[in-house]
């Protein structure tokens, strides 16, 4: 490290500490270092949010009140900033959606179990009735052919009822499987749990067969402003439109499409070349950009379309990577697309964008 540069930084730090009357108070020195250096380097905050956080902290420090009460107030201010940043809110939203999905799953599972219990009781009653009716037929007639004919009729009736109940079980089981596998809002997309399981298997196949595996991370640009301007209901409709667009494109290369969290959609595809992967991502981006989305108000669609775009990150599995590293690489490429101006595709090549 350059000693001259270090000295300058130390002098600057001493100057900052001196302006607030801080000399050896370690807690307060930590606050200044956090506000001056760490906040600047945190990637979960936007630049305006960082500036606002620093202004709030330095405004507190400007009072030169180094009491425990003032320290607690600054920590509370930092707490509010951290808990209200976009990344934290998205995590809370993802947890809420996961809870809602789990609640729906438990409700359906409970319904299926009750149906099975009811069916078993009904079947026991019907079997007893079958036995009683069969005994009655035998007692009523001595003609063997008549007895066999009537018993067959009773048996067919019983089997028909059991088949109907079996079909109802299968229907409920299919609905339960769908709830467990697909996203509760974007119902044509798999949920995060299903994607993680499918990705683990795909990575294993890729290694065994030496075929490529690609991940596309797709994120709506400026989605917060859509929610703030038009409301969360319109935001949900935007996500549904996006899900439809991405799904229709992914069909062309047998992509596995899932909601990864918040407004992020992830696509996994096997057997694509790097060129084909980029072309496919660009086709998805262009389809979204051209989409004519209309806000519905009071039963009518707006005259002007609400245009939205996406940033897409693409990464291809490497021999040393596992599922998590592939997703992280696609996320890194998507973040670079955001940083480079949004509404574009970035692909990770040999560790670089």
């Amino acid at each position: 490290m350059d000693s001259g540069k270090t000295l300058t930084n130390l002098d600057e730090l001493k100057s900052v500490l001196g302006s607030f009357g801080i000399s050896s108070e370690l807690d307060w020195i930590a606050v200044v270092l956090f506000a001056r250096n760490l906040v600047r380097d945190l990637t979960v905050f936007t630049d305006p949010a960082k500036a606002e956080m620093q202004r709030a902290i330095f405004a507190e420090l400007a009072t030169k009140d180094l009491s425990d009460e003032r320290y607690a107030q600054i920590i509370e201010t930092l707490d509010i900033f951290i808990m209200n940043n976009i990344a934290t809110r998205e995590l809370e939203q993802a947890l809420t959606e996961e809870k809602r999905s789990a609640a729906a799953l438990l409700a359906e599972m409970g319904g299926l179990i009750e149906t099975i219990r009811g069916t078993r009781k009904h079947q026991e009653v019907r079997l007893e009735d079958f036995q009683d009716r069969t005994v009655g037929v035998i007692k009523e007639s001595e003609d063997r052919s008549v007895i066999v004919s009537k018993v067959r009729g009773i048996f067919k009736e019983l089997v028909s009822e059991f088949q109907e109940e079996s079909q109802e079980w299968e229907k409920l089981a299919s609905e339960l499987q769908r709830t467990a596998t697909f996203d509760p809002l974007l119902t044509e997309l798999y949920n995060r749990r299903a994607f993680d399981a499918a990705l683990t298997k795909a990575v294993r196949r890729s290694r065994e067969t030496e075929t490529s595996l690609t991940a596309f991370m797709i994120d709506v640009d400026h989605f917060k402003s859509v929610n703030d301007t038009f409301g969360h209901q319109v935001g949900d409709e935007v996500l549904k439109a996006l899900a439809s667009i991405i799904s229709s494109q992914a069909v062309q290369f047998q992509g596995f499409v899932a909601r990864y969290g918040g407004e992020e959609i992830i696509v996994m595809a096997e057997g694509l070349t790097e060129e084909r992967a980029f072309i496919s991502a660009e086709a998805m981006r262009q389809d979204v950009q051209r989409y004519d989305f209309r806000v519905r108000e009071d039963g009518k669609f707006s005259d002007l379309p609400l245009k939205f775009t996406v940033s897409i990150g693409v990464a291809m599995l490497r021999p040393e990577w596992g599922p998590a590293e592939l997703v992280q690489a696609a996320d890194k490429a998507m973040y670079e697309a955001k940083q480079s101006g949004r509404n574009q595709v970035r692909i990770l090549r040999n560790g670089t964008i």
Side-chain angles (χ1 to χ4, degrees), residues 134-153:
T134 301
V135 171
V137 167
I138 294 172
K139 288 180 177 180
E140 289 173 1
S141 177
E142 295 182 357
D143 188 328
R144 187 180 184 87
S145 62
V146 171
I147 293 174
V148 171
S149 176
K150 288 185 176 181
V151 170
R152 279 180 177 173

Side-chain angles (χ1 to χ4, degrees), residues 84-112:
N84 285 334
N85 90 81
I86 294 173
T88 305
R89 287 200 300 272
E90 287 180 350
L91 179 59
E92 289 177 348
Q93 180 183 354
L95 288 173
T96 300
E97 290 170 354
E98 186 65 21
K99 287 179 182 178
R100 188 161 55 242
S101 177
L105 188 59
L106 286 172
E108 286 195 21
M109 188 177 294
L112 178 59

Side-chain angles (χ1 to χ4, degrees), residues 9 29 80 123 196 204-205 229 268 273 294 333 342:
N9 287 340
I29 290 173
I80 292 171
Q123 288 178 348
D196 288 343
R204 190 182 304 118
R205 279 196 304 273
T229 304
M268 173 184 69
T273 63
R294 304 280 174 156
R342 296 182 172 84

Side-chain angles (χ1 to χ4, degrees), residues 121-139:
K121 291 178 181 178
H122 176 258
Q123 288 178 348
E124 288 174 2
V125 171
R126 292 296 291 121
L127 285 170
E128 290 178 3
D129 179 65
F130 172 73
Q131 180 180 342
D132 292 343
R133 290 173 67 185
T134 301
V135 171
V137 167
I138 294 172
K139 288 180 177 180

Side-chain angles (χ1 to χ4, degrees), residues 221 226 288-293 304-309:
D221 297 325
V226 174
V288 172
Q289 185 178 24
R290 289 193 294 260
Y291 188 75
D292 186 23
F293 182 87
L304 296 176
L306 189 167
K307 291 294 185 181
F308 63 96
T309 60

